[in-house]
Amino acid sequence: MRYVSTRGDSPPASLSEAIERGLATDGGLYVPESFPSVNIAALRATEGLPALAEALLTPFFAGDPLGEQLTDICSEAFNFPAPLRLLARDTAVLELFHGPTAAFKDFGARFLAAALARLQPAEAEPLTVLVATSGDTGGAVAAAFAGRPGFEVFVLYPAGMVSERQERQLTCWGGNVTALRVRGDFDACQRLVKEAFQDPSLSSRRRLTSANSISLGRLLPQMVYYAAASFEYELVRGAPAGFVIPSGNLGNATACFWARKAGLPIREIVLATNANETLTRFLSEGDWRPGATIQTLATAMDVGNPSNMERLLQLHGGDVPTRAELRARLVTDDEIRRGITEGVERWGQIWDPHTATAITVRESLDAPHWIVVSTAHPAKFESIVEPLIEGTVDVPQQLAELLDRPKQYREIAPELSELEARLG
Ligand SMILES: *Cc1c(COP(=O)(O)O)cnc(C)c1O
């Protein structure tokens, strides 16, 4: 299996090359050259996420040296469950928040770390992972690489713009993980990382890599929980389900489209966005106009220029997807609040602000058989959720352990020179 760039101007790469590079040489994103048709009956017969992951991903690793290590990579990455909880009204919720940092990004980050670790030559200089985060990514990446020999991680986050609990998850690691609190916004953090990659003297001193959500090493494993949930739903309820996915940078959504393309029983896919309207405007007006990022209650979806749109467009032949191919609905902060407030009574669940966007969209859909994707545990966003439900949210044990550790960070101005000084 080879991987080509969405922009078509970069030579095809092997999976290992694509994972190590992140971005294709022409600035595009890597996509599979063709979609393998997987053996659905064989996948259905597997037991447990690691085995399903291995069976599903084997064709995507075909011909790559990493293929031989896929069993180990899958058992390392899929070591926590993704339960499907059946609710009323032919609806189910796919809980993706049982990993170390209580958000779905743990799956992709752990898989990427396991793959990258196996790609490092024995005597190589340590690999420096630079990651800019608006909250969830940085924690998941830090957790996945913490304590791994051969990696040094620098997490850049915007001062004062992440929640207290998110900041704890970014700053609690120590060792090979350094948290850099940047006096600027998320865009400033991203700009700094970009500048670092373009700085010749820095890249001659350090081997740099990024771990953001455009990485194939994060996307491919995300297909796995869609496969598991689609099988389970069909088995229990006798009909294929559609998925409603809370979306920002569209990585999680892309993985679901890829799973469907590979032949899994996924009826349709509907995306829920927050007030950042780049995607919904594009689908209704055909006009791709990335705008400035708007801050909402679902902060991890605050993306004005969703980078994985390139992959979704490529999948739909480069044209504006039709309604039958891709639907999305924008959910306002007021609707998010209502979704959380009414969630306890309507669904018997406490939703986090991201999942609340998807529930709001589910409630507006008539057809039965929907799986709502729950991307984070509500305890991560207790300062929003608790006042709305007028109660407290229990903190899962793995999260409680992280929140107990002291914060360690360095504060820097949003200047490349300050980042360089920290990197050494
Ligand atoms: C990152 C994130 C999202 C958005 O996922 P994308 O792949 O960027 O679309 C949604 N919810 C939570 C909790 C997240 O952390």
Side-chain angles (χ1 to χ4, degrees):
M1 169 69 72
R2 296 194 308 170
Y3 292 83
V4 295
S5 166
T6 45
R7 301 196 185 163
D9 245 349
S10 168
S14 71
L15 180 63
S16 296
E17 286 166 346
I19 287 181
E20 283 212 302
R21 271 187 212 140
L23 219 53
T25 47
D26 61 0
L29 309 186
Y30 283 114
V31 295
E33 191 167 41
S34 61
F35 270 82
S37 57
V38 294
N39 181 338
I40 297 294
L43 290 187
R44 230 187 265 277
T46 58
E47 259 180 59
L49 279 185
L52 174 59
E54 185 181 350
L56 175 62
L57 296 178
T58 292
F60 291 89
F61 279 66
D64 193 87
L66 271 183
E68 285 173 24
Q69 319 225 35
L70 188 55
T71 314
D72 292 343
I73 296 173
C74 289
S75 57
E76 227 178 80
F78 291 92
N79 69 341
F80 56 93
L84 187 69
R85 201 175 287 285
L86 298 170
L87 306 178
R89 284 171 259 171
D90 290 319
T91 302
V93 57
L94 175 59
E95 295 183 354
L96 299 179
F97 50 69
H98 295 280
T101 68
F104 83 92
K105 291 189 176 78
D106 283 322
F107 283 108
R110 291 180 63 79
F111 193 92
L112 175 66
L116 271 180
R118 288 166 173 83
L119 287 173
Q120 300 317 304
E123 302 297 316
E125 295 279 300
L127 194 59
T128 301
V129 181
L130 282 185
V131 57
T133 185
S134 57
D136 278 350
T137 297
V141 169
F145 286 93
R148 266 188 194 275
F151 291 95
E152 281 188 59
V153 181
F154 292 83
V155 179
L156 287 76
Y157 68 97
M161 293 191 204
V162 301
S163 75
E164 169 63 22
R165 285 189 178 169
Q166 279 179 321
E167 184 163 30
R168 293 238 165 228
Q169 292 185 315
L170 297 169
T171 58
C172 70
W173 304 99
N176 65 335
V177 178
T178 304
L180 296 175
R181 188 179 143 106
V182 179
R183 287 193 293 275
D185 57 11
F186 172 57
D187 290 332
C189 297
Q190 268 192 312
R191 184 172 43 76
L192 270 184
V193 168
K194 225 179 224 168
E195 285 173 9
F197 277 99
Q198 287 162 352
D199 183 60
S201 83
L202 194 56
S203 40
S204 69
R205 273 177 286 139
R206 279 186 175 261
R207 295 170 61 228
L208 295 177
T209 191
S210 136
N212 64 24
S213 82
I214 51 115
S215 169
L216 268 183
R218 284 179 53 179
L219 268 189
L220 291 174
Q222 291 176 186
M223 295 165 60
V224 174
Y225 43 74
Y226 290 115
S230 68
F231 287 146
E232 188 178 340
Y233 194 96
E234 202 180 31
L235 186 72
V236 179
R237 293 247 165 107
F243 282 90
V244 185
I245 307 173
S247 294
N249 213 16
L250 300 172
N252 209 11
T254 299
C256 192
F257 276 99
W258 286 4
R260 184 157 173 253
K261 180 109 179 159
L264 289 149
I266 295 170
R267 192 187 68 237
E268 58 188 305
I269 299 167
V270 179
L271 308 186
T273 73
N274 61 23
N276 286 276
E277 59 179 0
T278 310
L279 174 69
T280 45
R281 184 177 51 212
F282 174 61
L283 293 176
S284 63
E285 297 169 19
D287 184 11
W288 184 251
R289 258 190 300 135
T293 301
I294 297 171
Q295 285 191 29
T296 74
L297 293 173
T299 47
M301 291 154 56
D302 289 348
V303 181
N305 187 6
S307 35
N308 281 295
M309 192 64 211
E310 273 191 53
R311 286 190 167 113
L312 286 186
L313 276 181
Q314 188 265 354
L315 202 61
H316 297 109
D319 291 329
V320 183
T322 61
R323 253 183 77 80
E325 289 168 333
L326 173 56
R327 271 194 285 167
R329 179 164 159 341
L330 182 150
V331 177
T332 63
D333 272 0
D334 279 345
E335 291 174 303
I336 291 176
R337 280 193 206 93
R338 195 178 323 133
I340 296 171
T341 309
E342 295 176 358
V344 179
E345 199 180 302
R346 289 175 75 94
W347 300 98
Q349 302 284 314
I350 301 174
W351 306 119
D352 91 288
H354 307 83
T355 309
T357 66
I359 271 293
T360 304
V361 172
R362 163 64 189 106
E363 290 174 353
S364 73
L365 293 165
D366 290 334
H369 303 307
W370 291 101
I371 297 175
V372 170
V373 177
S374 181
T375 47
H377 193 286
K380 275 189 100 155
F381 302 95
E382 88 293 355
S383 58
I384 296 169
V385 173
E386 290 184 342
L388 290 170
I389 62 165
E390 295 175 7
T392 52
V393 183
D394 291 340
V395 180
Q397 195 203 333
Q398 80 275 22
L399 192 56
E401 280 168 17
L402 299 188
L403 299 179
D404 252 1
R405 300 192 200 168
K407 289 200 266 189
Q408 305 175 49
Y409 59 81
R410 301 275 173 190
E411 188 157 311
I412 63 169
E415 310 285 345
L416 183 60
S417 57
E418 297 220 3
L419 174 59
E420 282 194 314
R422 289 299 158 197
L423 289 171

